[in-house]
Amino acid sequence: MSIDSLRRSARETVSGLPQGFWWLWLSTLVNRTGAFVLTFLSLYLTVELGHSAWFAGLVVALHGLGGVAGSPLGGALTDRWGRRPTMITMHLAAAASAAALAVVTSAWAIATVVLLMGVAMQAVRPSINATIADMVPAHEVRRAFALNYWALNLGFAIASIGGGAAIFLGYRTLFVVDAVATTLCAVIVFLRLPETRPEARTDKAGEPVVEAKVSMLTVLRDAPFRTLVLLNLLVCLVFTAPWIGLPLTMADQGLSPSSYGVVIAVNGVVIVGFQLLVNRLTDKRSPVVLLTLSSLLFALGTGATALAGSSVVAFAATVVVWTVGEMIHVPTNAAATARLAPEHARGRYQGVMGMSWAVAGFVAPIGAGAIVDGPGPTVLWAATFTIGVIAAVGYSIRLRKALSEETATGADTAADDAAEINGATGTEQPVAPVSA
């Protein structure tokens, strides 16, 4: 492929999206560039404050537990308050939590702050995803989610490098920088991002149409979406397991922690370097095919970990495989959620989906550690392979009709028309709701 072809492909990958999306993209990049707390929290607790590794693990788990509560809370507020107020409020709450960590020292205070931070950080995600679904034409939603995910990982890579280089300034300084970056993210949203919550629908006489009320229970009663959430939970369990199981497996093979650092860094390098290319290759493909493929890649990548022996290169190769699955799965799953959600309930749907990620983030580390300490690493990787295959079969059989192009043709066309009108006027006006 020539340089001109690569440039043309890159332009096509990032072109055609509304201006508001790029302000949201920038806010994500700024936010993640300063994301130092979770990266260095365990080191801060053990090295700086002298707490045990057990306590550090408990505190990190509390962050995930906070996310379990924060995701549905953020979803409800996104639909009730609006996307923009929810984003600003939760970003500021997360910033306050990061700043508080630079001050508090007692074990209970740290645990409480981290729990609240987990609530705030997860509560903002439904509003971000709902905003993307609101402002981007339906046929471009997956590409937009992929670009936002790329910004998230690019920012995280910068934070990891910058945090490592700046750690001599002290952990508390890093937490303050995190608070400043998150506050700046809220300022960008406040100054540049329009509210995109759909306006109330009206009938031919101009009277407002009363939309059916949607509660979290209503969302869970949506059979196709409930299936999507449960299958995503399976994939998330597989995806989360290597972050605990991989270093333990490599240590069991006699490899050093630095070897693990090199191997896991492959995940970030591949995402930052190849997310746009993967998005280009998978663009316009069937969501069911992509979700099935990503599940199989997760299964093969994690399952092959059991066969890596003591080879650092082999371990790195397994990370490449499941990372490609990650790059395909995350934006496709977010776009599928947007497709199945009624416009006036996008926040709640994204909130319930986010809860599956949070549950996995809480359960998988505990389960993976218990399996490695018990039956052993081989059983863990056999289990992740089996779960990944089950998820792939589930996507292929259970969601083929619900996520088919024909199922969403009417809604997609209406949303595209509204987005094209907004683009033609050069403004980010709220998209008119489409009947669910």
Side-chain angles (χ1 to χ4, degrees):
M1 181 179 289
S2 66
I3 298 298
D4 288 341
S5 298
L6 289 173
R7 288 175 178 172
R8 184 168 57 252
S9 177
R11 281 196 300 269
E12 291 174 353
T13 300
V14 300
S15 65
L17 297 174
Q19 184 182 31
F21 168 78
W22 291 110
W23 285 112
L24 182 63
W25 185 92
L26 178 62
S27 72
T28 298
L29 180 63
V30 169
N31 188 20
R32 296 299 291 181
T33 299
F36 297 117
V37 170
L38 287 182
T39 306
F40 297 99
L41 181 59
S42 59
L43 289 175
Y44 171 66
L45 293 173
T46 54
V47 176
E48 181 82 4
L49 299 183
H51 292 292
S52 65
W54 175 87
F55 177 75
L58 174 64
V59 171
V60 173
L62 285 175
H63 186 277
L65 185 62
V68 175
S71 191
L73 171 65
L77 293 177
T78 295
D79 290 335
R80 185 181 298 272
W81 284 3
R83 284 60 161 141
R84 189 165 167 267
T86 303
M87 265 188 268
I88 294 170
T89 301
M90 294 306 165
H91 279 317
L92 292 177
S97 299
L101 278 179
V103 178
V104 300
T105 55
S106 74
W108 283 109
I110 291 171
T112 302
V113 170
V114 171
L115 176 67
L116 294 175
M117 175 179 279
V119 173
M121 289 180 65
Q122 193 65 35
V124 79
R125 298 184 187 279
S127 57
I128 293 173
N129 289 351
T131 299
I132 293 173
D134 290 339
M135 67 169 51
V136 175
H139 68 280
E140 299 284 14
V141 163
R142 186 188 172 278
R143 178 164 68 98
F145 278 121
L147 287 169
N148 199 64
Y149 189 64
W150 181 58
L152 188 151
N153 282 279
L154 178 60
F156 184 75
I158 295 172
S160 299
I161 297 171
I167 202 167
F168 66 90
L169 296 174
Y171 294 100
R172 289 183 173 86
T173 301
L174 295 182
F175 298 160
V176 171
V177 173
D178 192 330
V180 171
T182 307
T183 301
L184 179 57
C185 174
V187 170
I188 292 173
V189 172
F190 178 75
L191 295 178
R192 306 303 303 178
L193 196 67
E195 175 57 58
T196 63
R197 184 175 59 170
E199 296 175 337
R201 211 158 44 95
T202 58
D203 57 23
K204 294 181 179 179
E207 296 296 324
V209 175
V210 179
E211 301 280 7
K213 290 185 178 180
V214 178
S215 65
M216 289 300 173
L217 185 59
T218 308
V219 175
L220 293 174
R221 286 173 177 167
D222 184 333
F225 180 67
R226 185 174 64 240
T227 301
L228 183 68
V229 171
L230 292 175
L231 292 174
N232 184 68
L233 176 59
L234 295 180
V235 172
C236 291
L237 291 172
V238 176
F239 169 61
T240 307
W243 298 95
I244 299 298
L246 183 57
L248 297 177
T249 300
M250 293 181 67
D252 189 59
Q253 293 293 329
L255 296 172
S256 66
S258 62
S259 297
Y260 167 70
V262 171
V263 168
I264 202 60
V266 171
N267 173 259
V269 170
V270 171
I271 292 176
V272 172
F274 298 99
Q275 178 71 67
L276 298 183
L277 176 61
V278 169
N279 186 57
R280 182 71 177 162
L281 294 175
T282 57
D283 195 26
K284 312 303 182 186
R285 305 294 181 184
S286 163
V288 169
V289 171
L290 293 178
L291 290 170
T292 301
L293 174 61
S294 64
S295 299
L296 291 175
L297 289 171
F298 275 120
L300 293 172
T302 59
T305 307
L307 308 176
S310 59
S311 170
V312 173
V313 173
F315 280 114
T318 66
V319 173
V320 170
V321 174
W322 60 255
T323 297
V324 175
E326 177 188 353
M327 289 190 288
I328 296 172
H329 179 85
V330 173
T332 304
N333 181 72
T337 301
R339 170 175 287 191
L340 294 179
E343 288 198 3
H344 67 286
R346 277 176 173 158
R348 287 180 172 85
Y349 272 68
Q350 292 288 352
V352 171
M353 180 56 72
M355 190 165 57
S356 67
W357 287 93
V359 169
F362 179 70
V363 172
I366 298 173
I371 293 174
V372 171
D373 284 342
T378 301
V379 174
L380 172 64
W381 305 122
T384 59
F385 175 80
T386 302
I387 294 171
V389 171
I390 291 173
V393 173
Y395 283 122
S396 180
I397 295 176
R398 301 292 298 175
L399 290 175
R400 185 169 298 277
K401 181 179 179 181
L403 295 180
S404 67
E405 294 297 328
E406 292 77 9
T407 302
T409 297
D412 286 357
T413 300
D416 284 353
D417 290 344
E420 287 172 6
I421 291 172
N422 293 339
T425 60
T427 60
E428 269 70 59
Q429 299 295 328
V431 178
V434 177
S435 178

